[in-house]
Structure formats: structure tokens, C-alpha cells
Amino acid sequence: MVEAPQTAEGWFSLHDFRSIDWDAWREAPESERRRAIEEGEAFLKHRELVADADAGESALFSVLGHKADLLFLHFRPSLDDLSAIERRFEDTALAKFTERETSYVSVTEVSGYVSDDYFEEGADAVDEGLRRYIEGKLKPDIPDEEYVSFYPMSKRRGEEHNWYDLDFEERADLMAGHGEVGKEYAGKIKQVIASSVGFDDHEWGVTLFGADPTDIKDIVYEMRFDPASSRYGEFGDFYVGRRFPPRDLDAFLAGETVPTGREPEEDSAGHSHGEGGHHGDDAHGGGEGHDRSGSGGGSAHGDHPHGDGEAGGEGDHPHGEGDGHGGEGGHGGEGGHGGGGSSDEDIRGELADLDIYAGKPHGEDVYATVLYSEADTDELFDEVEGLRGNFDHYGTHVKTAVYEGRHTDRAAVVSIWDTASAAETAGGFLSELPDIVARAGEESGFGTMGMFYTVKPDYQTEFVETFDDVGELLGEMDGHVETDLMVNVEDENDMFIASQWNAKEDAMAFFRSDEFSETVQWGRDVLADRPRHVFLA
């Protein structure tokens, strides 16, 4: 018998496709329509705020074409949670104007293709990066990208090509090749893949998210030519739509373009009644309702603690392993943090073209806030340690540390998070530390990524000396402002290179240099793990 890979399951998923009875809507009295909008909006807002369960995600999309008008997408810890959502919607006045066209039930999963150790020895047996990657697959965030495409699929069991007759190694090789296609869309497409074996008509439900709908078309098109799809893929109906906030429900029903972009209304106390974009300012209890002085740090979630990691597939999943789908990204030059106007994905792509590693494995994105202080390092560390204790209460917190400069008289406070909004919010608390003089990315035309390196102890001195040699080259380059190798006060083998340039192109000229290329090659022998290239939030 062919070996079946082990699986671990996470959150359950419901894709609920609804059409509007437009004739009934037009004929209904204004008071009835208004009640339907109010109850429908309230229901959807509470789902996005996950007021019905202890965890999960929900989102609302308009759907194009004849198959449906709306998609309600829900992730929850149990099937009972999803069942309750279905019944609660039927109690709203909006429900009488809708008809369910179809639905899809599935559960997120990871399989034995990801890591034998994870299944044989448990989560503690794998490194933190892989463990957090798996956690992200099992408990996915709904990405902020506006456009969505959903389709179910199965693996073929035909007479000539039967996926389930292939041995484990052959299936793994096919999926690894399939995943290579997905890597080309890092930063453009995010996906959530959930198993529907035993739950629905196909074996997986695939949900793709993108800022440009043509990217969705392109990735599906290219993957059709890969053997994992061309020989073994069987697909159901495709649905495409665009996300909009529940507060725009009235605009949608009036035939207006959504999302409208209008801001949420506020009451007299200044509290938001809308979602603040897609996600609610007070989602999950975070946001502006926290008192910093009383909490010693407050909520570091920002508007909503969404992770932006690439949701690559794994195991038998249709889009491969997902390893390498983007790096630890943030803002490499936009919104006052660099001024170059280029996106994180563009910069990561250019680095990849130069064979420069631009992110850790498993598609995990993280965001960093870096503040510089001229305070006494010991005093600064004591203050940071207090804040860090509060940050650690949040699942989106990755790391906060103090790095001491070697060629400058200032220290860097680095706080790394799963989401840009959380990093930004943490930056607000960190800005109150003593003698803060600057924020990385704001003191020059282009704040490059922070380059974090963990060096093998035996090579620590050699690494520092090599950096000093490279530093001499930097001093001679056009557009260079300042670069310093900063050392973690708690671990001398953990180093952070802070680099400032007049413009993005100046920095890229350095990355293209032979000297930097040689240093990268040498670094592969002396580093304890791959460098963390973290863009600034």
C-alpha cells in the first residue's frame, strides 16, 4: 500500500456564497431595506471582530458574474462555530433577501511533507521558524489584498494518471517542482489551502489573494503547465471577487463601487464604529482602547494583528511547499521610511536576482521598528526589558533587543513583529524610551533593510574585522550616509547592520558590487544560520 503522509489539522473554513434577490430588494419598503442593511452590517462586523469565538478570521467579498453576489469567508476553531455563524445569519433581516448558491467546508492542514520531526517528535523538535510557519498554516490570517479567487480541486485518480498510486518520494518531487512556480509570485499572491477530504465534493479548497487580479490569473495559468497540475489536477468552479468592509454593505446594495474608501464613523468619544480599512480598529480587543500608562506597553497589535506571511501550500496541496515565498519584509522605502517609492517585493526580487538571500525559509514575513538612543546602554536595556515583558504576551511579537554601536555613540532598539501594524504600534511605545534621537529609515533618503546575522562563535572576531574592511568600501561609495555593525548586548554573536543611503539605487549599487558578493559567499561558512534581512516598518 502506498504511504499516506501524516496530517495535522487547524481551523475549519466556510466559504458561503450568496446571491441577492434583486427583485425582492427593489420591491421592499425602505424601512425593511434599512433594517436588512443594519442587521446585515452588524452581523458581518461582529464576525470580523470574531465576537462569536475565542479565535478566527472573517471577511466579506463582492463576487463577479452569475454564480453569486457575495462571499462570506470564515475561519473558526471548530465546525460548531461555523454552524452557529450560519444560523445567526439566518436570523438577520438581510437573510430573507439572499439565497445560498453554494458553500464549501474544509479544514486547514499541514502534512508530513513539511517535516518528519514535527509529526514524529512533536512541535518542540523543529526550529522556531518552521514551528511558526506551521502555526500560520493551521491558523491562517485573511490577507489584506483586495482581490480573491476561490476554487476547489482534487488529485486525479484516472487509469493512466493516478496520484494516489505514486510513491511518497515521487509525489514530494512533483510538489517541490510545483512550488517553484509559486515562488515566482512571492509578494504578489498569498494563498490559504484547506483540506476538504470527507467534508465536501473535492479534496482541497484553494483561496488566492492578490492586489492585482491578473496576478491571480497568471499563477493559475502557469501552474496548469506543471506536471502536478497538467497530469494530476482536477478543478471545480472558480469564483472571483473583491473584498469590502461591512460598513459598505449599503453602497453595495445600491449598486455603487465597493470598497467606497469612506472612513468609519466615530461617536462623540472618538471611538470608531467601522473597520478601519478591512479590519476594525478594535478588532480582537486591540487598538486605541488601551491605556499605555496602566499596562506598561498596552496592545502591540495595532489595528489588527494580521500576519502577512505567504500562505504557500504543503504536502499534496496544489501549490507546493511554499518555502522561500518572500522574506522578512517590511517597508523598504515608502511612506517616509525611505522615500524610494519601491515596494518590498521589488527589492526582495532584485536581491534574489543577485543571488542574495532576502528572507528566511517557510514564507514568513516579519516587520521591524528600529529606534536609536544616546542613553546609557545599561539604563536603556533595563527600560526595554520591561516593555519586552509586555510585548511577549502577544503572539505577533518575534523579538525585541538592544544593539550597541561600534562606530557610533548610539544604541539601536530593534523590535520585530509578524505584522507591520504591530511593529508600528510597538514603535509608539518604544519612542518614549530615554534619549531617542532617530528612527531608522527616517534620517536619510533610503533606509535599507536591517541585516541581522548570527555568527558562529569561533568566527565572531573575523566577522567583525571583515565588516570593517567592507566599511572602508562603503565610505567611498556615492550616496552612502552611514553604516554601523551593532552588537546585541545579550549575545555578541547576534549582530545588526544598520545602513543609510541617499537613495535606493545607491544601496543597490553596493549589493551588486563584487566585494559584497564575495562577502556573501564567505558568510555562508561563518554564519550559524541564514541572515535575516528585515525591512523597516
Side-chain angles (χ1 to χ4, degrees):
M1 178 177 175
V2 175
E3 177 185 359
Q6 299 179 73
T7 63
E9 288 70 37
W11 285 350
F12 293 85
S13 169
L14 173 65
H15 291 67
D16 187 354
F17 292 91
R18 301 269 173 167
S19 62
I20 304 295
D21 185 341
W22 294 108
D23 289 336
W25 182 256
R26 283 187 291 267
E27 295 170 0
E30 177 62 27
S31 59
E32 195 172 340
R33 291 200 300 267
R34 176 49 50 191
R35 180 186 170 207
I37 291 172
E38 290 175 352
E39 292 188 9
E41 182 179 343
F43 168 84
L44 294 165
K45 282 183 179 179
H46 281 81
R47 302 295 78 74
E48 286 200 350
L49 294 172
V50 195
D52 51 61
D54 58 1
E57 290 278 318
S58 287
L60 171 65
F61 301 84
S62 63
V63 178
L64 283 74
H66 71 284
K67 299 172 188 173
D69 294 310
L70 294 171
L71 163 61
F72 304 155
L73 174 58
H74 308 288
F75 294 110
R76 291 295 187 274
S78 73
L79 280 175
D80 288 344
D81 293 331
L82 296 179
S83 176
I85 289 175
E86 289 183 298
R87 287 179 277 112
R88 287 192 183 108
F89 177 72
E90 295 301 334
D91 286 338
T92 69
L94 178 63
K96 66 173 291 187
F97 294 103
T98 72
E99 181 178 347
R100 173 179 273 176
E101 295 295 342
T102 189
S103 64
Y104 206 83
V105 178
S106 55
V107 63
T108 59
E109 75 171 13
V110 293
S111 76
Y113 291 93
V114 177
S115 168
D116 290 336
D117 290 342
Y118 178 82
F119 287 94
E120 294 175 3
E121 301 179 36
D124 293 339
V126 300
D127 65 77
E128 181 182 357
L130 178 56
R131 185 164 58 250
R132 293 174 65 241
Y133 164 76
I134 291 172
E135 183 73 9
K137 303 302 105 185
L138 297 179
K139 300 177 181 180
D141 295 316
I142 297 177
D144 288 327
E145 280 74 6
E146 286 186 334
Y147 291 95
V148 66
S149 173
F150 170 79
Y151 59 93
M153 70 157 296
S154 298
K155 291 298 187 183
R156 183 166 295 134
R157 294 191 296 273
E159 294 182 6
E160 182 178 1
H161 296 295
N162 187 335
W163 178 262
Y164 297 96
D165 278 343
L166 303 178
D167 60 35
F168 183 94
E169 289 74 17
E170 188 171 358
R171 280 179 277 132
D173 288 343
L174 282 167
M175 294 317 303
H178 203 57
E180 290 299 314
V181 179
K183 291 179 184 179
E184 299 175 11
Y185 291 85
K188 295 181 180 180
I189 295 296
K190 299 175 182 178
Q191 62 184 13
V192 175
I193 301 175
S195 173
S196 48
V197 174
F199 291 162
D200 224 308
D201 294 340
H202 286 74
E203 294 168 349
W204 290 277
V206 181
T207 313
L208 305 178
F209 302 87
D212 185 340
T214 61
D215 288 332
I216 294 175
K217 186 272 294 184
D218 289 343
I219 189 174
V220 175
Y221 176 71
E222 287 194 41
M223 285 186 167
R224 289 293 177 93
F225 290 88
D226 184 83
S229 288
S230 64
R231 296 177 190 168
Y232 299 102
E234 295 181 336
F235 302 88
D237 289 340
F238 281 68
Y239 296 81
V240 64
R242 189 179 186 188
R243 187 169 186 174
F244 71 95
R247 65 172 175 273
D248 284 348
L249 182 62
D250 58 343
F252 172 82
L253 292 168
E256 299 176 19
T257 299
V258 291
T260 62
R262 64 190 179 190
E263 292 298 319
E265 298 177 358
E266 293 185 348
D267 61 22
S268 58
H271 297 136
S272 171
H273 286 268
E275 291 70 42
H278 292 312
H279 295 303
D281 296 332
D282 294 317
H284 295 264
E288 60 201 20
H290 287 261
D291 178 358
R292 296 182 190 178
S293 62
S295 65
S299 170
H301 286 288
D303 289 344
H304 199 90
H306 280 325
D308 294 321
E310 305 295 341
E314 60 277 312
D316 288 344
H317 289 163
H319 294 322
E321 292 290 339
D323 287 0
H325 281 211
E328 301 166 354
H331 297 26
E334 295 182 285
H337 299 306
S342 55
S343 70
D344 311 338
E345 292 76 20
D346 291 341
I347 296 171
R348 285 203 290 264
E350 291 182 51
L351 293 176
D353 290 342
L354 297 172
D355 194 28
I356 298 171
Y357 181 67
K360 66 188 294 186
H362 318 310
E364 180 184 70
D365 283 340
V366 294
Y367 300 78
T369 289
V370 180
L371 297 169
Y372 297 108
S373 171
E374 293 181 348
D376 176 79
T377 303
D378 291 337
E379 176 189 355
L380 182 65
F381 177 78
D382 289 342
E383 295 283 344
V384 170
E385 194 170 27
L387 282 174
R388 184 167 61 186
N390 287 285
F391 291 165
D392 284 340
H393 290 297
Y394 299 98
T396 49
H397 182 229
V398 177
K399 172 184 180 179
T400 297
V402 176
Y403 291 78
E404 192 168 19
R406 296 176 58 253
H407 298 297
T408 61
D409 294 328
R410 62 187 188 178
V413 180
V414 177
S415 192
I416 303 175
W417 298 77
D418 282 335
T419 69
S421 62
E424 288 282 0
T425 303
F429 302 131
L430 295 170
S431 66
E432 299 176 1
L433 291 168
D435 298 330
I436 295 295
V437 294
R439 179 169 177 164
E442 294 181 347
E443 71 272 50
S444 67
F446 180 78
T448 73
M449 63 194 142
M451 292 172 279
F452 292 81
Y453 298 91
T454 302
V455 185
K456 296 176 182 176
D458 291 344
Y459 290 95
Q460 199 269 354
T461 300
E462 186 177 355
F463 184 86
V464 170
E465 292 174 350
T466 299
F467 172 80
D468 289 340
D469 292 339
V470 174
E472 294 178 5
L473 170 68
L474 289 172
E476 301 172 357
M477 296 196 69
D478 292 338
H480 177 250
V481 178
E482 180 183 79
T483 297
D484 193 12
L485 178 65
M486 311 189 84
V487 181
N488 189 332
V489 299
E490 298 172 90
D491 180 4
E492 67 174 4
N493 298 309
D494 175 18
M495 304 182 199
F496 160 53
I497 298 178
S499 193
Q500 306 298 324
W501 301 78
N502 287 332
K504 171 201 165 188
E505 193 52 40
D506 295 326
M508 294 307 299
F510 170 61
F511 296 136
R512 296 187 189 103
S513 68
D514 292 338
E515 290 83 354
F516 184 78
S517 177
E518 292 170 1
T519 303
V520 169
Q521 295 298 325
W522 172 78
R524 290 170 179 164
D525 295 326
V526 306
L527 298 180
D529 54 27
R530 302 187 82 170
R532 306 182 69 173
H533 289 187
V534 180
F535 287 88
L536 306 175

mmCIF file of all heavy atoms in Angstrom, residues 265-273:
data_model
loop_
_atom_site.group_PDB
_atom_site.id
_atom_site.type_symbol
_atom_site.label_atom_id
_atom_site.label_comp_id
_atom_site.label_asym_id
_atom_site.label_seq_id
_atom_site.Cartn_x
_atom_site.Cartn_y
_atom_site.Cartn_z
ATOM 1 N N GLU A 265 -17.378 55.909 10.778
ATOM 2 C CA GLU A 265 -17.900 56.986 11.602
ATOM 3 C C GLU A 265 -17.399 56.852 13.029
ATOM 4 O O GLU A 265 -17.079 55.780 13.505
ATOM 5 C CB GLU A 265 -19.436 56.949 11.595
ATOM 6 C CG GLU A 265 -20.035 57.158 10.214
ATOM 7 C CD GLU A 265 -21.544 57.030 10.242
ATOM 8 O OE1 GLU A 265 -22.076 56.743 11.327
ATOM 9 O OE2 GLU A 265 -22.171 57.217 9.196
ATOM 10 N N GLU A 266 -17.324 57.988 13.734
ATOM 11 C CA GLU A 266 -16.915 57.970 15.131
ATOM 12 C C GLU A 266 -18.005 58.572 15.992
ATOM 13 O O GLU A 266 -18.737 59.453 15.564
ATOM 14 C CB GLU A 266 -15.618 58.769 15.325
ATOM 15 C CG GLU A 266 -14.408 58.142 14.649
ATOM 16 C CD GLU A 266 -13.144 58.889 14.973
ATOM 17 O OE1 GLU A 266 -13.259 60.007 15.533
ATOM 18 O OE2 GLU A 266 -12.055 58.386 14.682
ATOM 19 N N ASP A 267 -18.104 58.061 17.228
ATOM 20 C CA ASP A 267 -19.063 58.647 18.146
ATOM 21 C C ASP A 267 -18.428 59.829 18.862
ATOM 22 O O ASP A 267 -17.302 60.218 18.581
ATOM 23 C CB ASP A 267 -19.574 57.592 19.136
ATOM 24 C CG ASP A 267 -18.456 57.002 19.994
ATOM 25 O OD1 ASP A 267 -17.406 57.659 20.147
ATOM 26 O OD2 ASP A 267 -18.642 55.887 20.507
ATOM 27 N N SER A 268 -19.141 60.420 19.806
ATOM 28 C CA SER A 268 -18.658 61.629 20.445
ATOM 29 C C SER A 268 -17.402 61.403 21.261
ATOM 30 O O SER A 268 -16.659 62.342 21.548
ATOM 31 C CB SER A 268 -19.760 62.189 21.369
ATOM 32 O OG SER A 268 -20.124 61.205 22.342
ATOM 33 N N ALA A 269 -17.124 60.152 21.625
ATOM 34 C CA ALA A 269 -15.914 59.848 22.387
ATOM 35 C C ALA A 269 -14.732 59.546 21.490
ATOM 36 O O ALA A 269 -13.639 59.271 21.956
ATOM 37 C CB ALA A 269 -16.167 58.667 23.320
ATOM 38 N N GLY A 270 -14.978 59.607 20.167
ATOM 39 C CA GLY A 270 -13.891 59.351 19.228
ATOM 40 C C GLY A 270 -13.655 57.894 18.931
ATOM 41 O O GLY A 270 -12.645 57.528 18.362
ATOM 42 N N HIS A 271 -14.589 57.003 19.316
ATOM 43 C CA HIS A 271 -14.412 55.580 19.060
ATOM 44 C C HIS A 271 -14.943 55.235 17.679
ATOM 45 O O HIS A 271 -16.020 55.654 17.290
ATOM 46 C CB HIS A 271 -15.147 54.739 20.119
ATOM 47 C CG HIS A 271 -14.596 54.946 21.485
ATOM 48 N ND1 HIS A 271 -15.391 55.114 22.578
ATOM 49 C CD2 HIS A 271 -13.328 55.036 21.927
ATOM 50 C CE1 HIS A 271 -14.644 55.283 23.662
ATOM 51 N NE2 HIS A 271 -13.385 55.235 23.280
ATOM 52 N N SER A 272 -14.201 54.409 16.971
ATOM 53 C CA SER A 272 -14.582 54.060 15.608
ATOM 54 C C SER A 272 -15.700 53.038 15.609
ATOM 55 O O SER A 272 -15.691 52.082 16.369
ATOM 56 C CB SER A 272 -13.361 53.495 14.874
ATOM 57 O OG SER A 272 -13.752 52.970 13.641
ATOM 58 N N HIS A 273 -16.651 53.231 14.694
ATOM 59 C CA HIS A 273 -17.735 52.252 14.519
ATOM 60 C C HIS A 273 -17.513 51.397 13.286
ATOM 61 O O HIS A 273 -18.314 50.535 12.977
ATOM 62 C CB HIS A 273 -19.080 52.979 14.390
ATOM 63 C CG HIS A 273 -19.563 53.523 15.691
ATOM 64 N ND1 HIS A 273 -20.389 52.829 16.540
ATOM 65 C CD2 HIS A 273 -19.310 54.704 16.315
ATOM 66 C CE1 HIS A 273 -20.669 53.551 17.618
ATOM 67 N NE2 HIS A 273 -20.013 54.691 17.498
#
